[in-house]
Amino acid sequence: MLGWAITFLVVALIAAVLGFGGIAGASAGIAQILFVIFILLFVGSLIMRFVKR
Protein backbone atom coordinates (compact mmCIF):
# COMPACT_ATOMS: atom_id res chain seq x y z
CA MET A 1 0.00 0.00 0.00
CA LEU A 2 2.79 2.38 0.88
CA GLY A 3 4.57 1.45 -2.33
CA TRP A 4 1.55 2.48 -4.39
CA ALA A 5 1.31 5.78 -2.52
CA ILE A 6 4.96 6.53 -3.24
CA THR A 7 4.49 5.54 -6.88
CA PHE A 8 1.56 7.93 -7.32
CA LEU A 9 3.51 10.66 -5.55
CA VAL A 10 6.41 10.25 -7.97
CA VAL A 11 4.01 10.28 -10.93
CA ALA A 12 2.43 13.47 -9.57
CA LEU A 13 5.82 15.15 -9.15
CA ILE A 14 6.95 14.20 -12.66
CA ALA A 15 3.65 15.33 -14.16
CA ALA A 16 3.86 18.64 -12.30
CA VAL A 17 7.38 19.27 -13.56
CA LEU A 18 6.29 18.53 -17.13
CA GLY A 19 3.26 20.82 -16.82
CA PHE A 20 0.42 18.29 -16.71
CA GLY A 21 -1.59 19.89 -13.91
CA GLY A 22 -4.66 17.65 -14.13
CA ILE A 23 -2.70 14.42 -13.99
CA ALA A 24 -0.50 15.79 -11.23
CA GLY A 25 -3.50 16.78 -9.12
CA ALA A 26 -5.24 13.46 -9.60
CA SER A 27 -2.11 11.46 -8.81
CA ALA A 28 -1.42 13.54 -5.72
CA GLY A 29 -4.99 13.00 -4.52
CA ILE A 30 -4.73 9.25 -5.00
CA ALA A 31 -1.36 9.23 -3.21
CA GLN A 32 -2.87 11.08 -0.24
CA ILE A 33 -5.80 8.68 0.01
CA LEU A 34 -3.55 5.62 -0.17
CA PHE A 35 -1.19 7.07 2.43
CA VAL A 36 -4.05 7.74 4.86
CA ILE A 37 -5.37 4.20 4.37
CA PHE A 38 -1.86 2.84 4.98
CA ILE A 39 -1.49 4.84 8.19
CA LEU A 40 -4.91 3.72 9.46
CA LEU A 41 -4.15 0.05 8.75
CA PHE A 42 -0.71 0.37 10.33
CA VAL A 43 -2.07 1.94 13.52
CA GLY A 44 -4.87 -0.64 13.62
CA SER A 45 -2.40 -3.50 13.34
CA LEU A 46 -0.24 -2.01 16.11
CA ILE A 47 -3.26 -1.69 18.38
CA MET A 48 -4.34 -5.27 17.66
CA ARG A 49 -0.81 -6.50 18.35
CA PHE A 50 -0.71 -4.83 21.76
CA VAL A 51 -4.24 -5.94 22.65
CA LYS A 52 -3.44 -9.60 21.94
CA ARG A 53 -0.52 -9.58 24.38
Side-chain angles (χ1 to χ4, degrees):
M1 181 83 55
L2 184 59
W4 281 104
I6 292 171
T7 302
F8 277 106
L9 178 63
V10 169
V11 168
L13 291 173
I14 292 172
V17 167
L18 296 176
F20 299 108
I23 296 172
S27 294
I30 293 170
Q32 286 177 343
I33 291 169
L34 289 175
F35 186 71
V36 168
I37 291 171
F38 168 76
I39 293 295
L40 291 174
L41 290 174
F42 179 70
V43 169
S45 67
L46 284 178
I47 291 171
M48 292 303 292
R49 182 177 179 199
F50 288 121
V51 167
K52 285 186 178 180
R53 287 186 176 198

